[in-house]
Amino acid sequence: MENKNLSLPPKPKNSLAKKVRNIIIAILVIAMYIWTFVTIDVDWGRAIERAINNFQRVIPELFSPDWSALSDVSGSMLETIFIAFAGSLMAAVIAVPLSFIAARNMMGGKITSVIGKFFLSAVRAFPEIILAILFVVAVGPNAFAGVLAIAIGSTGMLGKMFSEIIESIDMQVIEAMEASGANKVQILFHGVLPQIIPEFLSYAIYRFEVDIRASSILGIVGAGGIGTMIMFASSNRNWNEMGMILLAIIIVVTIIDFASARIRRKIV
């Protein structure tokens, strides 16, 4: 006897309606782009001609780096690495307790978790360059301002990532330990931390990669590092020195990306 309760096959989706919707969206996007360029008050012919002339003059100098500036560039690049490392380390330490507060499965009430997530979102709203300007005003134009800007800027992102890791842990392990009579400290050190530490380290190392790039421009506002040399080289139109700076940044970022990728693969 056939089962009369068998569910009916799902109705086929209206492919025509989807195509029409996609076409309308594409037309709207194209119209927005056209409207944006049309409303810009600029002489495109003159702008393109000026850009071509500048590239013809600047690009050859960029590809002829000033090797006599290698010593100064190396020192500034080393300072940039230290700024990124110190800021990332501070952010990783600060983000750990904040991530536990923001994680829904760790805090007793949802209100605490919502407050923690809101705080982390508020911190992430400020770009590092804005934070650097504020800290330069507060502590003066030096590398410490850059460290603080990187630390605060990275805390929001690391706190968000860490809280998501905590929310994805296997709660059955926690429940089993609670059933066996383990206290909160034992649960934390033997049930929670072993699950989250590898991913915490992986995200912290990845954030260090990002902070290397961010700290490279903080010197433009007086927060130390290679950005200060970028500012002076560009203001003086010293494109040969700028080429040396860009070469140093490319080499350092590539090496750190490669090394951190190898380390993260071994950790996770």
Side-chain angles (χ1 to χ4, degrees):
M1 185 175 181
E2 295 183 358
N3 189 357
K4 296 182 179 181
N5 295 327
L6 290 174
S7 60
L8 296 174
K11 294 181 179 180
K13 294 182 179 179
N14 193 340
S15 59
L16 180 61
K18 285 186 66 176
K19 289 180 179 179
V20 172
R21 184 192 65 185
N22 293 337
I23 291 173
I24 292 174
I25 293 174
I27 291 173
L28 289 175
V29 171
I30 294 172
M32 288 177 63
Y33 271 103
I34 294 174
W35 177 79
T36 301
F37 283 103
V38 168
T39 54
I40 297 176
D41 186 14
V42 64
D43 185 353
W44 288 104
R46 185 177 179 185
I48 293 172
E49 182 181 359
R50 182 182 299 175
I52 293 173
N53 291 334
N54 288 335
F55 273 111
Q56 289 176 345
R57 179 174 57 87
V58 171
I59 294 299
E61 295 184 18
L62 285 177
F63 281 92
S64 300
D66 182 7
W67 292 98
S68 64
L70 179 60
S71 177
D72 294 335
V73 171
S74 300
S76 296
M77 197 68 231
L78 191 61
E79 184 181 44
T80 299
I81 295 172
F82 288 155
I83 290 172
F85 179 77
S88 301
L89 184 60
M90 289 176 62
V93 173
I94 298 171
V96 171
L98 293 177
S99 64
F100 276 91
I101 294 174
R104 291 190 303 269
N105 56 344
M106 287 291 114
M107 304 308 296
K110 292 183 179 179
I111 297 178
T112 307
S113 175
V114 170
I115 293 173
K117 289 182 182 297
F118 175 78
F119 176 77
L120 293 174
S121 298
V123 172
R124 292 200 309 277
F126 296 95
E128 285 85 356
I129 192 71
I130 302 299
L131 293 171
I133 294 172
L134 297 176
F135 284 120
V136 165
V137 174
V139 302
N142 50 49
F144 184 54
V147 172
L148 293 177
I150 292 294
I152 301 302
S154 297
T155 295
M157 185 56 67
L158 284 178
K160 176 181 180 295
M161 293 177 175
F162 288 176
S163 65
E164 292 177 353
I165 294 170
I166 295 171
E167 289 175 348
S168 64
I169 65 174
D170 187 2
M171 293 303 295
Q172 292 182 351
V173 176
I174 312 302
E175 294 169 359
M177 294 186 69
E178 289 177 345
S180 64
N183 57 39
K184 292 186 180 297
V185 175
Q186 291 172 329
I187 292 173
L188 175 64
F189 281 94
H190 299 286
V192 177
L193 293 183
Q195 296 188 63
I196 63 175
I197 283 179
E199 292 189 71
F200 271 28
L201 292 175
S202 176
Y203 276 117
I205 294 171
Y206 173 73
R207 188 63 197 182
F208 173 61
E209 296 179 31
V210 177
D211 289 339
I212 286 287
R213 299 176 179 87
S215 60
S216 297
I217 62 170
L218 296 185
I220 294 175
V221 295
I226 197 75
T228 304
M229 293 195 68
I230 293 176
M231 179 182 64
F232 286 124
S234 61
S235 60
N236 295 329
R237 302 295 191 269
N238 191 346
W239 305 119
N240 298 106
E241 183 175 326
M242 181 68 78
M244 189 69 240
I245 294 170
L246 295 178
L247 180 61
I249 292 174
I250 292 170
I251 292 174
V252 170
V253 169
T254 301
I255 292 173
I256 291 177
D257 284 356
F258 178 77
S260 62
R262 293 283 300 270
I263 294 171
R264 284 188 284 115
R265 280 199 298 267
K266 290 183 178 181
I267 291 174
V268 178

